[in-house]
Amino acid sequence: MSATHHQTVLDVPRRIKWAAYAIPLCALPSGLWRIALVVGWPDWYAGHVWLPGERPYVLSLSLVAECLALLALGLVRPWGERLPAWVPFVGGRAVPVRAVVVPASIGAALVTALAAYVTLNYVFNFVAPLNDTGEAFPTSGPGAWALWACYAPILAWGPLLAVVTRAYHLRRARGRGRWRSGAAAAGASRCAVARHPTTRPAPGAPRM
């Protein structure tokens, strides 16, 4: 298998691909919930007085969160190992393993911790909501069910990212090991040829 073909078709288990593609779906419902609050539908947040710049902040938060979740696809796609050729200045270069694994691992830990804190704070009310009415989110009825349905998938974001990141690291490590073994074998072959060069008979000499 050529190096180019290996870069195009990655040896990624199907369950790891499913986990990677599930990460953006985990972040999507909560983003849609925040967008619905900003546009005023439904009116569960009608009593809140929006501060200047607060609406753009909430919309930006949803957009940034979804973009970060989409980056997880690079852990199972070729552009996560080698930058596309159209990227200016660095297109076509291999992506360092640490440049991917370290941020992804930190992100998995932060998302897991944040999701756990938000869930526990919602249940036990460690910190009071910062709004005018004292009710930042619905606590009963359809609104509460919709809230849980939108935010519950975030609990899986961190663990899924951790699993996919580990699989990415192991895959890149195996690939690097094979490359080193191949290079060592090629070097040994060249040394053998240099030590025992093939001698050709002189013109006119009798052949055995």
Side-chain angles (χ1 to χ4, degrees):
M1 180 181 295
S2 64
T4 304
H5 183 70
H6 177 71
Q7 294 165 6
T8 303
V9 181
L10 301 180
D11 184 16
V12 181
R14 182 175 299 179
R15 62 182 182 276
I16 298 299
K17 286 184 179 181
W18 288 352
Y21 282 101
I23 292 174
L25 298 179
C26 291
L28 183 60
S30 60
L32 296 178
W33 168 273
R34 289 188 292 268
I35 293 174
L37 295 182
V38 170
V39 300
W41 183 88
D43 59 352
W44 295 320
Y45 218 47
H48 179 71
V49 178
W50 292 92
L51 299 176
E54 190 175 2
R55 292 177 188 268
Y57 164 75
V58 174
L59 292 176
S60 301
L61 178 63
S62 301
L63 180 61
V64 170
E66 191 62 30
C67 289
L68 291 176
L70 287 170
L71 286 178
L73 300 181
L75 299 171
V76 296
R77 300 294 298 167
W79 54 268
E81 297 190 9
R82 185 171 297 276
L83 295 175
W86 53 263
V87 177
F89 306 112
V90 294
R93 294 186 180 181
V95 180
V97 179
R98 290 184 179 180
V100 176
V101 173
V102 172
S105 301
I106 295 175
L110 291 178
V111 171
T112 302
L114 181 60
Y117 167 76
V118 171
T119 303
L120 293 175
N121 186 60
Y122 182 82
V123 175
F124 297 103
N125 197 22
F126 298 134
V127 179
L130 297 177
N131 66 353
D132 299 327
T133 64
E135 295 181 357
F137 301 105
T139 56
S140 62
W145 287 106
L147 172 66
W148 278 108
C150 290
Y151 274 87
I154 293 183
L155 295 172
W157 182 354
L160 286 175
L161 182 57
V163 170
V164 178
T165 301
R166 182 177 183 274
Y168 173 90
H169 181 263
L170 294 177
R171 186 176 72 250
R172 294 291 302 271
R174 288 196 301 266
R176 186 167 61 250
R178 285 196 298 267
W179 180 85
R180 287 178 178 175
S181 299
S189 178
R190 287 193 295 268
C191 291
V193 172
R195 291 177 182 177
H196 304 284
T198 302
T199 57
R200 296 182 178 179
R207 297 184 179 182
M208 300 298 294

